[in-house]
Amino acid sequence: MTGLFSYPKRNLRKLIKNGDFKEAIELGNNLEEKYSQDHDFLFIMGSMFYILEDPKMTLHYIDRVLEISEYDVEALSLKLRVHQHLKENDIAIECCKKILSVNSDNYEVKDVLTELEG
């Protein structure tokens, strides 16, 4: 049993990759107190809930990632997709602008921004 917790984020990723979402959620909930400020852990959890199509939980974790690293492009991209899906265009536009402030060559985001503003 010790091996299971030696590399908890790796185990969490493996459970998600294998589609063992119930076990991944349980493990994540058990680890959350210890990793509550861990950027990678929070992103993994947010990504899992994105896969599970749970926008509320996705944003819960991704917003926490962005509290730690405001201009994390991967987290902003995930947040953008969720808000775009929810038709919350103002927030999606804000995400696009932050992404482009970090990576002005992101043509996919430029296209999304043009679509949202048009």
Side-chain angles (χ1 to χ4, degrees):
M1 190 70 157
T2 306
L4 178 64
F5 292 101
S6 297
Y7 301 100
K9 291 186 286 187
R10 185 181 307 162
N11 289 320
L12 184 58
R13 281 188 197 100
K14 183 177 180 183
L15 289 170
I16 294 167
K17 181 179 178 187
N18 292 337
D20 298 325
F21 296 111
K22 182 179 179 186
E23 292 88 354
I25 291 169
E26 288 175 16
L27 178 59
N29 288 338
N30 289 334
L31 297 172
E32 188 157 357
E33 185 176 336
K34 181 177 180 181
Y35 292 96
S36 66
Q37 295 300 312
D38 184 298
H39 175 278
D40 294 330
F41 169 78
L42 296 171
F43 188 81
I44 293 166
M45 291 296 289
S47 297
M48 174 180 60
F49 283 107
Y50 181 78
I51 293 167
L52 293 172
E53 298 181 4
D54 185 336
K56 181 180 176 184
M57 289 303 291
T58 301
L59 291 174
H60 168 76
Y61 286 102
I62 295 304
D63 285 339
R64 289 172 60 193
V65 170
L66 293 169
E67 286 174 13
I68 296 167
S69 180
E70 182 179 359
Y71 290 93
D72 180 299
V73 173
E74 288 180 329
L76 285 167
S77 296
L78 197 52
K79 182 177 173 88
L80 163 63
R81 289 186 207 115
V82 171
H83 286 294
Q84 190 177 16
H85 172 74
L86 296 173
K87 308 230 182 296
E88 295 173 341
N89 291 347
D90 290 343
I91 300 170
I93 288 169
E94 182 182 314
C95 292
C96 287
K97 289 179 178 180
K98 280 189 175 183
I99 292 168
L100 291 172
S101 75
V102 175
N103 181 1
S104 61
D105 292 334
N106 191 323
Y107 295 105
E108 181 181 340
V109 172
K110 284 182 180 180
D111 291 343
V112 171
L113 181 59
T114 300
E115 178 186 321
L116 290 171
E117 290 181 329

